[in-house]
Amino acid sequence: MASCAPYPRVLRHQLPPLATVPGDFERYGCHPAGGLELECPKDSPIGKLGCVRLWTSLVLSGVTPLEPLAGCEVVDPTHSIEPGDYVLASGGLLPIYTRYLALSESGPVLLKSASAFRERYAPVDSPAEAITFVTALTDLSVFNSFDGPRRLRYFLPVLEETEVVATSSGYLVKNLLRKKLFGCGPHTNWLVDVAVSHDGSVQVVTERKAFEDPQEDGICVD
């Protein structure tokens, strides 16, 4: 069992420039649901594509061609979606699947799989694009602006924020965050390094146990 470290030093890094690309998803029947989310009725043009909810994020703006891009949430209570028909699946009693929806000049384009995402946006030729690929195709998120309370259980003397380093085959995106969401506590947070190749493939290189919240130790999530 890893021993706890004292309150860590945080090493800051600046992310590559990212700028949100506005998209008129409401034109296709979706409506704001608070924050960066939109709900899409089943009979709307986007709802008919299977997206019950859309979410937008700054980290999705690094793609080329530059166009509005949103996460598409699909709920499948029958567990009938095949593995090749979604990008990510979250755990829990009611699985929620992630696809992506791009707004092209001709209308919405549904990207059902990681291969469809790569086909549209590869090659990965910039640090911003590497951030978009790694956060879109994995369950990892950017780790920055961290200011954790002292009550957390820390396992590293230094917490380093996300940065992108160029390599001969693409990019290494370092210090992405993964949290154990489902099951019973502790709900550990890990820092993960991922290699992103020019062809858009992503591969975990290393993982480090970073911190836990003792207040979540007794929590079980289905």
Side-chain angles (χ1 to χ4, degrees):
M1 183 174 180
S3 60
C4 297
Y7 192 81
R9 180 169 63 93
V10 179
L11 186 57
R12 310 288 184 185
H13 292 294
Q14 188 168 356
L15 291 174
L18 294 161
T20 302
V21 182
D24 189 6
F25 296 101
E26 294 179 57
R27 176 183 175 187
Y28 299 96
C30 300
H31 54 83
L36 299 175
E37 297 186 348
L38 301 98
E39 291 182 350
C40 307
K42 289 183 178 180
D43 60 351
S44 67
I46 289 179
K48 290 177 181 178
L49 295 174
C51 303
V52 297
R53 184 182 296 265
L54 299 179
W55 51 269
T56 60
S57 172
L58 186 64
V59 296
L60 293 179
S61 66
V63 294
T64 304
L66 189 61
E67 61 186 0
L69 178 65
C72 158
E73 184 177 296
V74 180
V75 178
D76 178 35
T78 64
H79 300 259
S80 60
I81 295 182
E82 297 294 329
D85 282 342
Y86 59 85
V87 180
L88 299 170
S90 65
L93 296 178
L94 181 61
I96 296 175
Y97 299 91
T98 297
R99 294 168 175 165
Y100 290 94
L101 188 92
L103 279 189
S104 69
E105 292 183 357
S106 58
V109 178
L110 183 65
L111 306 174
K112 282 188 173 183
S113 63
S115 59
F117 192 95
R118 284 191 291 266
E119 183 177 343
R120 188 168 185 84
Y121 296 124
V124 178
D125 288 331
S126 72
E129 214 166 7
I131 287 283
T132 294
F133 265 74
V134 77
T135 53
L137 302 184
T138 72
D139 62 349
L140 301 167
S141 59
V142 166
F143 178 64
N144 66 345
S145 302
F146 181 78
D147 186 21
R150 292 187 176 274
R151 74 164 187 274
L152 299 186
R153 188 183 299 129
Y154 294 100
F155 300 98
L156 297 172
V158 178
L159 293 179
E160 192 168 351
E161 293 185 340
T162 300
E163 68 169 334
V164 185
V165 179
T167 67
S168 59
S169 58
Y171 297 91
L172 180 65
V173 185
K174 301 172 65 177
N175 309 308
L176 292 153
L177 187 68
R178 171 183 288 144
K179 181 176 182 179
K180 176 191 172 186
L181 296 175
F182 296 96
C184 294
H187 294 277
T188 307
N189 293 267
W190 300 78
L191 289 180
V192 184
D193 296 350
V194 179
V196 183
S197 299
H198 287 300
D199 66 4
S201 59
V202 297
Q203 183 176 2
V204 171
V205 177
T206 59
E207 300 184 42
R208 298 169 298 286
K209 191 174 184 178
F211 57 90
E212 299 166 347
D213 189 343
Q215 294 183 2
E216 298 178 346
D217 285 356
I219 296 176
C220 295
V221 180
D222 295 327

